[in-house]
Amino acid sequence: MPPLVWINGTIHPPETATVSVFDHGLLYGDGVFEGMRTYGGKVFRLEAHLRRLEASAKAIALEVPVPFDDLVTVTNDLVHRTGFADAYLRHIVTRGVGDLGIDPRRCTSPSVIIICDELKMFPAEKLAAGLRVVTAGTPMPHREALSPRVKSLNYLPHVLAKHEGGTAGADEVLMLDSSGHVAEGSGQNLFIVTEGVVRTPPPSAGILKGVTRDVVIELAGREGVPVREELLNRYDVYTADEVFLTGTASEIVPVREVDARAIGAGCPGPVTQRLMAGFRRLTRGG
Ligand code: PMP
């Protein structure tokens, strides 16, 4: 089954799913996006993702030209048409076509794109063994320059951090903010577990407020595991009993090593495993 792409109201196969070279999303990274997935054909936390898309757009003074309820309908319809049981969705809203100047006022009509493709996940053996993570030298963008809470089309710091991780032979990277606090992975939020307490940086620290992150905080509450949102340093990560990352496609991924320090016993810990089991029950039942 091929992926399908909805562009401003028309559904295309990948071959004709194209945008103008004058779109400011391409020229300036002027736009926002979302990444969602389905379980058994149903989009997980669709409304939370769409609310974050609208908030990201608002923060960059971009109006999403499709009403919220229509986005829900169109998204569900696209998933249904592709027939993927486990689909990955990418929603993109760009400033639209303008001229070569930077002025967003030249772009009169924002573009909305929704891509529905088959989901690709971390290999199962990586999930079982845990990831090797290194700290990236590339910091997060300063939150007053481009808030990391905006899921914008400017992902270059995250792309470069991921590149650093790849060249260092690591599975993932840890990104720090400009004052050295721990922020997030290249496309995941970070959690640590210390003496039975789950700890993660607060959104105000300059991270993306992940939908999976919110689900994990809910799950921990339900399981009676205490959660603290607080600023963390690499010391906290190195000395944690457990570390894991969360994200839409990767769900909850254990980390077994950070900057050549084994985490805990060097294998997925009991709190991580409990939350992974809770997440599986929530998304797949049983
Ligand atoms: N941080 C960044 C930078 C991300 O791009 C993502 C999404 N891939 C996340 C965290 C995790 O967010 P979510 O759980 O909503 O996928």
Side-chain angles (χ1 to χ4, degrees), residues 6-284:
W6 187 96
I7 306 177
N8 299 322
T10 310
I11 296 175
H12 297 264
E15 308 77 60
T16 60
T18 53
V19 292
S20 164
V21 294
F22 292 99
D23 192 306
H24 279 208
L26 174 70
L27 290 173
Y28 295 112
D30 188 353
V32 295
F33 75 102
E34 264 308 315
M36 313 178 191
R37 64 160 293 176
T38 65
Y39 291 95
K42 192 171 179 306
V43 183
F44 185 62
R45 301 277 160 132
L46 173 58
E47 301 203 342
H49 280 286
L50 289 178
R51 275 197 296 276
R52 187 171 67 185
L53 183 73
E54 289 198 330
S56 292
K58 181 156 192 201
I60 66 160
L62 175 63
E63 198 173 326
V64 182
V66 181
F68 189 92
D69 290 348
D70 293 358
L71 282 178
V72 170
T73 308
V74 161
T75 304
N76 286 330
D77 176 60
L78 198 64
V79 169
H80 186 70
R81 280 173 192 258
T82 57
F84 296 132
D86 287 325
Y88 183 79
L89 287 149
R90 173 60 51 88
H91 289 61
I92 305 163
V93 186
T94 76
R95 191 77 63 183
V97 173
D99 59 20
L100 289 179
I102 198 168
D103 192 344
R105 290 170 302 183
R106 300 259 183 226
C107 308
T108 51
S109 177
S111 264
V112 180
I113 300 163
I114 309 173
I115 306 169
C116 185
D117 199 355
E118 198 161 20
L119 181 79
K120 294 173 190 81
M121 291 190 57
F122 267 114
E125 59 278 10
K126 284 272 179 221
L127 295 182
L131 304 185
R132 283 187 55 232
V133 170
V134 292
T135 302
T138 308
M140 296 284 292
H142 191 283
R143 60 184 177 276
E144 295 308 325
L146 173 59
S147 171
R149 294 202 56 183
V150 175
K151 203 163 164 57
S152 83
L153 295 179
N154 286 261
Y155 250 47
L156 210 39
H158 293 74
V159 170
L160 294 178
K162 185 78 185 175
H163 176 72
E164 284 181 51
T167 53
D171 302 306
E172 204 21 86
V173 284
L174 172 59
M175 294 182 74
L176 307 179
D177 69 15
S178 37
S179 62
H181 288 115
V182 163
E184 60 189 357
S186 68
Q188 305 91 2
N189 289 114
L190 177 108
F191 286 77
I192 67 173
V193 183
T194 318
E195 293 174 1
V197 178
V198 171
R199 300 157 75 196
T200 193
S204 57
I207 56 164
L208 186 77
K209 189 169 179 291
V211 171
T212 321
R213 173 189 181 279
D214 288 350
V215 171
V216 165
I217 291 173
E218 265 170 54
L219 275 176
R222 242 185 272 164
E223 297 269 333
V225 179
V227 181
R228 288 210 307 254
E229 295 183 64
E230 58 189 14
L231 290 177
L232 300 171
N233 298 312
R234 275 194 294 174
Y235 172 85
D236 301 306
V237 177
Y238 295 157
T239 59
D241 301 321
E242 302 176 37
V243 175
F244 61 88
L245 298 169
T246 65
T248 291
S250 41
E251 304 180 324
I252 300 174
V253 196
V255 172
R256 67 179 161 92
E257 186 187 302
V258 180
D259 295 338
R261 279 86 162 169
I263 300 301
C267 60
V271 177
T272 309
Q273 289 191 37
R274 206 163 130 200
L275 293 169
M276 288 170 84
F279 197 84
R280 257 194 310 275
R281 276 196 301 279
L282 179 72
T283 52
R284 296 157 172 97

